[in-house]
Amino acid sequence: MTPAPVPPAAVTPATTASAVMTPATRRLLLGRTFAALATALIPTTLTLALVHTGSGTELGLVLACELLPMLLLLPVAGVIADRFPPHRVILAADLVRAGAQLAIGAELLAGPVRIADLAILSALTGAAVAFGISPIRTLVVVVVPESQRLRVNARLGVAQGLAQVAAPAAAGALMLAVGPGWSSLLTGLLFVASAATFGGMRPERVVRTREQGPFLGELRAGWTETRRHPWFLANVAAHGVWHLAAGFLLALGPIIAVDRLGGDRSWVIIAQVGTVGVLLGALSASRLPVRRPLVATSFGAALYGLPLTALALRAPLAIVAAAYFAAMFGLGVLSPLWETTLQHRIPPEALGRVGSFDALISFATRPLGLAIAAPIAASIGTSTPLLVGAVLVVATNVGLLLLPDVRAVQSEPQPTSATEVPSTPAQLPTETELPPIPAQLPTKTETPPKPAQLPTETAHATVVEPDRAG
């Protein structure tokens, strides 16, 4: 006996916390918090370790050895994420990362530091990162009912923001107290804790697809599915510009702050204000009456032009801090809305592959901005690249509003007797259109569109209850 799919429900601010916090959801949130903290510890730990025992070139080599495998393997990880249960893929990735970080900790404690060993272990970590992040969106789909995903995505955003704050402080404290090796050991143990939460997870629903095809065929099918969503490609390109400009700001902002805004203390204030902004934004995302999520994400990303302009024009510290707060608040709102929209509009059986292209652009462009900002500033000064970055961020993200799919009002589903729609890896299903209903976030439905209303997209893989009779 195959049970019928669980019908979706609308996302509303009235969704109760008790409805969200099922045992599987608690494991998801706890596991992602452990993994986010562990991931944020890695660069700070390596930096502090090699500052005292190595050189800047060796540090760059080790960090590059982590980044490059991750970028190269993200499309492959997307295929794996769509082939296997997402919680098992994350479990395997966390165990690999745990082993690599525990080995790095042992290496740092034993001494002397061998750069070749650190480079190999960092490459292994980077590869596992690719496989660890690709299945997350699909896991949210199978664990969290659609009516509650925005709230859960917002909580995941808060956990990520807190990890970015806590990790450098923890790594620095461990460095001063007992040395960087213990920080790597803590990182490994956090990945073990994350693996334990996912290892005990028993999702009540699965994404059902037809028999899998050849690996390369599935990879091509993922790219075909990606191209079917012009709104997605346009947003990913605009987000790539945002990440590039963020690299400029993070590279040149501290220099300007130290030289013109009062020293090191001023940049610490700006960074802390930004952290408060992103946390408040994430907390607010599920409470705002958002009718058009992609319009909100477009303006949220465009706000990053404010601190870029303020720094370029040498504005006072208070204005720069306020501008950075606004930008990071926009980012906090953007992230959960973007995740929830992808989980609604992209078929779940292709979410790993499509999402991998989003991650690829994001992870590639920010390091590029960090790398080229200083040479450009040395040639033409700091103001010009920051102003150019501000113009590009605003133009590309506000320009997204020209697309009807971006401006579309998301719909509230009507209860229907949904039927299962399987899909093949080589040929993914086509999209249908939904009637927009005001003041609701994206959900799935089979109701045909009404005349003179903007269309939206719907996901086609069926999330079903498992057959408990067997």
Side-chain angles (χ1 to χ4, degrees):
M1 177 180 67
T2 302
V6 178
V11 176
T12 65
T15 303
T16 63
S18 60
V20 174
M21 295 301 289
T22 63
T25 303
R26 290 190 185 94
R27 285 183 174 273
L28 170 65
L29 292 170
L30 187 60
R32 290 309 300 156
T33 301
F34 286 143
L37 183 58
T39 301
L41 278 169
I42 293 173
T44 304
T45 299
L46 288 175
T47 300
L48 293 175
L50 293 180
V51 158
H52 295 282
T53 61
S55 65
T57 301
E58 291 172 339
L59 173 62
L61 173 64
V62 172
L63 294 178
C65 285
E66 180 181 348
L67 178 64
L68 291 178
M70 179 180 64
L71 295 178
L72 293 174
L73 290 174
L74 271 170
V76 176
V79 176
I80 299 299
D82 290 335
R83 277 193 171 203
F84 300 100
H87 64 291
R88 294 179 183 174
V89 178
I90 298 170
L91 168 63
D94 281 345
L95 290 176
V96 172
R97 286 187 284 186
Q101 291 303 307
L102 291 173
I104 288 176
E107 175 91 7
L108 293 175
L109 289 175
V113 174
R114 293 184 291 271
I115 299 302
D117 293 346
L118 292 184
I120 293 171
L121 292 170
S122 295
L124 188 61
T125 299
V129 168
F131 289 93
I133 63 176
S134 295
I136 291 299
R137 291 183 177 115
T138 307
L139 184 61
V140 172
V141 169
V142 301
V143 168
V144 184
E146 187 168 4
S147 62
Q148 301 162 15
R149 286 177 199 157
L150 177 59
R151 187 182 295 270
V152 170
N153 283 326
R155 292 183 179 185
L156 290 172
V158 171
Q160 182 72 32
L162 290 174
Q164 295 296 327
V165 177
L174 287 170
M175 173 70 186
L176 294 175
V178 291
W182 290 100
S183 181
S184 288
L185 292 179
L186 173 62
T187 303
L189 292 176
L190 286 170
F191 280 127
V192 170
S194 176
T197 62
F198 290 115
M201 183 177 288
R202 299 293 183 269
E204 296 182 355
R205 291 168 293 176
V206 296
V207 175
R208 181 168 296 176
T209 61
R210 290 179 185 162
E211 185 177 354
Q212 297 161 350
F215 181 87
L216 291 179
E218 291 188 40
L219 188 61
R220 286 192 297 269
W223 176 240
T224 299
E225 176 65 23
T226 301
R227 289 187 297 154
R228 288 182 54 252
H229 304 278
W231 62 269
F232 173 79
L233 289 172
N235 272 272
V236 168
H239 295 171
V241 173
W242 180 93
H243 279 285
L244 183 70
F248 281 11
L249 186 145
L250 294 175
L252 302 180
I255 298 174
I256 296 172
V258 170
D259 290 345
R260 299 177 180 271
L261 298 179
D264 296 342
R265 175 176 169 273
S266 61
W267 181 250
V268 172
I269 292 173
I270 293 170
Q272 290 177 341
V273 167
T275 299
V276 173
V278 74
L279 293 175
L280 290 178
L283 288 170
S284 302
S286 61
R287 295 171 171 83
L288 298 175
V290 179
R291 301 175 61 200
R292 296 176 171 87
L294 291 182
V295 171
T297 61
S298 297
F299 282 113
L303 287 174
Y304 209 77
L306 294 176
L308 290 166
T309 303
L311 285 169
L313 298 180
R314 305 297 192 265
L317 174 61
I319 293 178
V320 173
Y324 196 56
F325 173 87
M328 298 307 287
F329 182 89
L331 175 62
V333 172
L334 179 157
S335 181
L337 288 176
W338 174 247
E339 295 297 324
T340 305
T341 301
L342 290 188
Q343 289 157 0
H344 167 65
R345 292 192 175 192
I346 304 298
E349 78 276 14
L351 197 51
R353 285 166 288 174
V354 175
S356 68
F357 294 109
D358 180 24
L360 178 62
I361 296 300
S362 299
F363 284 123
T365 51
R366 180 171 296 198
L368 177 62
L370 288 167
I372 66 176
I376 292 176
S379 176
I380 61 176
T382 57
S383 295
T384 300
L386 290 173
L387 284 175
V388 170
V391 171
L392 290 176
V393 166
V394 174
T396 54
N397 285 280
V398 174
L400 293 172
L401 302 180
L402 297 174
L403 297 176
D405 285 338
V406 171
R407 300 194 306 271
V409 177
Q410 300 298 338
S411 61
E412 175 185 4
Q414 303 299 324
T416 60
S417 55
T419 57
E420 184 173 345
V421 184
S423 65
T424 63
Q427 184 176 1
L428 294 169
T430 57
E431 297 170 285
T432 59
E433 297 180 338
L434 298 177
I437 296 178
Q440 300 294 339
L441 288 170
T443 54
K444 293 184 279 185
T445 182
E446 296 179 353
T447 307
K450 298 178 182 178
Q453 291 181 318
L454 292 171
T456 60
E457 299 168 276
T458 184
H460 296 275
T462 303
V463 180
V464 301
E465 297 283 353
D467 186 356
R468 291 186 177 83

